[in-house]
């Protein structure tokens, strides 16, 4: 079964790289968009010395951690957003009748290799920010740096799947899903201190977005949490990501059972 998925993935990559110039332009364009997002932080600090009580180094670190985690998740599962198109056109029927898992099929069939440009750019940005931040490294902080992108990516992947599942109940679900996926990335890029208390509780800690970059950045820089949160909160990100995946898979299976063919 793994070999079947691998063949589907190789076929997608082969077809997308046939026209190398077009593929190169797509990758470069994707990378440029990540650079623009980083520039926004510098522009923000042109008009204010601090954001939510944090300086440029801390906010850049939060933004870079969030962007790298999100871009990696977008590369791996971002194409699940096309589920609404599959449901609307009745194409999901062909996926369901194959002797393969529906979710893995969607992920490999519409795999967008061009997004690797965003991952590469955000990875380079993260390395540059780490050098610029001049952190005082310890074994615990090095481990945190390894865990943070992995856990953040896993959390965003679960959010992508959850957002796509809306299509099982609301066909025109693109904007609803984007509010949680791309909106979640924007939320995670900045300090939790800039948001009202209700938003912090619901999205920051209810959805776990404060654990994607805010809490890990506090741990990496040794900055005390202005909100009074304990330092060990940053270590909860893998558990939160695992819990998010449990919910995502449960909702996915419920949606599959709820799905009724369009008949087209």
């Amino acid at each position: 079964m793994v070999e079947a998925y691998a063949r589907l993935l190789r076929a997608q990559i082969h077809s997308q790289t046939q026209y190398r110039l077009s593929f190169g332009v797509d990758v470069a364009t994707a990378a440029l968009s990540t650079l623009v997002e980083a520039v926004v932080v510098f522009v923000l600090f042109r008009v204010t010395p601090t954001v939510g009580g944090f300086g440029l180094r801390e906010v850049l670190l939060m933004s870079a951690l969030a962007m790298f985690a999100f871009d990696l998740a977008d590369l791996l599962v971002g194409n699940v957003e096309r589920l609404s198109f599959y449901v609307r056109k009745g194409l999901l029927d062909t996926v369901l009748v194959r002797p393969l898992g529906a979710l893995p099929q969607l992920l490999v069939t519409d795999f967008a290799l061009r997004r690797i440009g965003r991952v590469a750019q955000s990875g380079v940005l993260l390395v540059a920010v780490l050098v610029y931040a001049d952190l005082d490294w310890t074994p615990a902080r090095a481990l945190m740096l390894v865990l943070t992108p992995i856990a953040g990516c896993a959390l965003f992947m679960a959010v992508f799947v959850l957002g796509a599942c809306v299509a099982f109940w609301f066909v025109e679900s693109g904007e609803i899903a984007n509010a949680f996926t791309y909106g979640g990335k924007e939320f995670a890029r900045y300090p939790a201190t800039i948001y009202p208390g209700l938003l912090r509780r619901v999205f920051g800690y209810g959805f776990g977005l404060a654990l994607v970059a805010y809490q890990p950045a506090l741990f990496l820089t040794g900055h005390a949490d202005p909100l009074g949160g304990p330092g060990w909160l940053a270590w909860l990100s893998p558990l939160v990501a695992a819990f998010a995946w449990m919910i995502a898979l449960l909702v996915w299976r419920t949606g599959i059972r709820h799905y009724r063919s369009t008949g087209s």
Side-chain angles (χ1 to χ4, degrees):
M1 187 172 290
V2 174
E3 178 61 25
Y5 295 132
R7 288 181 179 179
L8 286 171
L9 182 60
R10 285 196 297 268
Q12 281 295 310
I13 293 175
H14 180 72
S15 64
Q16 292 174 31
T17 55
Q18 281 295 297
Y19 301 95
R20 296 182 180 180
L21 178 59
S22 176
F23 176 73
V25 171
D26 287 342
V27 171
T29 302
L32 181 62
S33 64
T34 298
L35 183 61
V36 170
E37 291 177 349
V39 171
V40 169
V41 177
F42 287 98
V43 172
L44 187 61
F45 275 89
R46 294 274 295 179
V47 296
T48 180
T50 60
V51 174
F54 294 90
L56 177 61
R57 281 183 172 84
E58 291 91 347
V59 176
L60 272 176
L61 181 57
M62 295 176 196
S63 186
L65 287 170
M67 286 195 296
F68 182 65
F70 180 87
D71 290 340
L72 187 56
D74 193 26
L75 171 68
L76 296 175
V77 304
N79 48 306
V80 77
E81 294 176 320
R82 287 180 54 81
L83 178 63
S84 60
F85 174 78
Y86 275 70
V87 171
R88 187 169 61 252
K89 297 295 185 180
L91 299 176
L92 187 60
D93 297 6
T94 62
V95 173
L96 295 176
V97 298
R98 295 171 185 158
L100 297 170
L103 181 57
Q105 280 190 78
L106 289 176
L107 297 184
V108 299
T109 301
D110 290 318
F111 182 76
L113 186 61
R114 67 181 182 279
R115 291 172 179 160
I116 199 170
R118 292 179 62 91
V119 176
Q121 182 65 56
S122 57
V124 171
L125 174 64
L126 178 57
V127 172
V129 169
L130 288 170
V131 174
Y132 174 64
D134 192 25
L135 302 177
D136 183 15
W137 289 105
T138 65
R141 286 178 177 170
L143 179 60
M144 176 61 68
L145 179 61
V146 173
L147 287 178
T148 296
I150 297 173
C153 172
L155 178 59
F156 278 127
M157 288 169 67
V159 172
F160 268 110
V161 174
L162 278 169
C165 287
V166 177
F168 288 122
W169 290 273
F170 303 97
V171 177
E172 297 296 337
S173 59
E175 296 304 321
I176 299 175
N178 289 344
F180 290 95
T181 52
Y182 297 95
K185 179 189 72 169
E186 293 304 316
F187 185 101
R189 286 182 59 200
Y190 297 99
T193 51
I194 71 173
Y195 303 109
L198 180 61
L199 286 180
R200 277 201 308 268
R201 288 190 291 272
V202 174
F203 294 100
Y205 295 98
F207 283 81
L209 293 174
L211 304 181
V212 171
Y214 174 67
Q215 288 293 340
L218 292 178
F219 186 87
L220 290 171
T221 59
H223 197 296
D225 188 355
L227 301 173
W232 49 262
L233 276 176
W235 295 101
L236 295 181
S237 56
L239 295 177
V240 172
F243 182 68
W245 262 107
M246 288 175 58
I247 296 175
L249 292 176
L250 176 62
V251 175
W252 174 267
R253 287 194 291 266
T254 303
I256 289 292
R257 289 195 298 267
H258 176 273
Y259 173 74
R260 295 294 180 270
S261 174
T262 61
S264 60

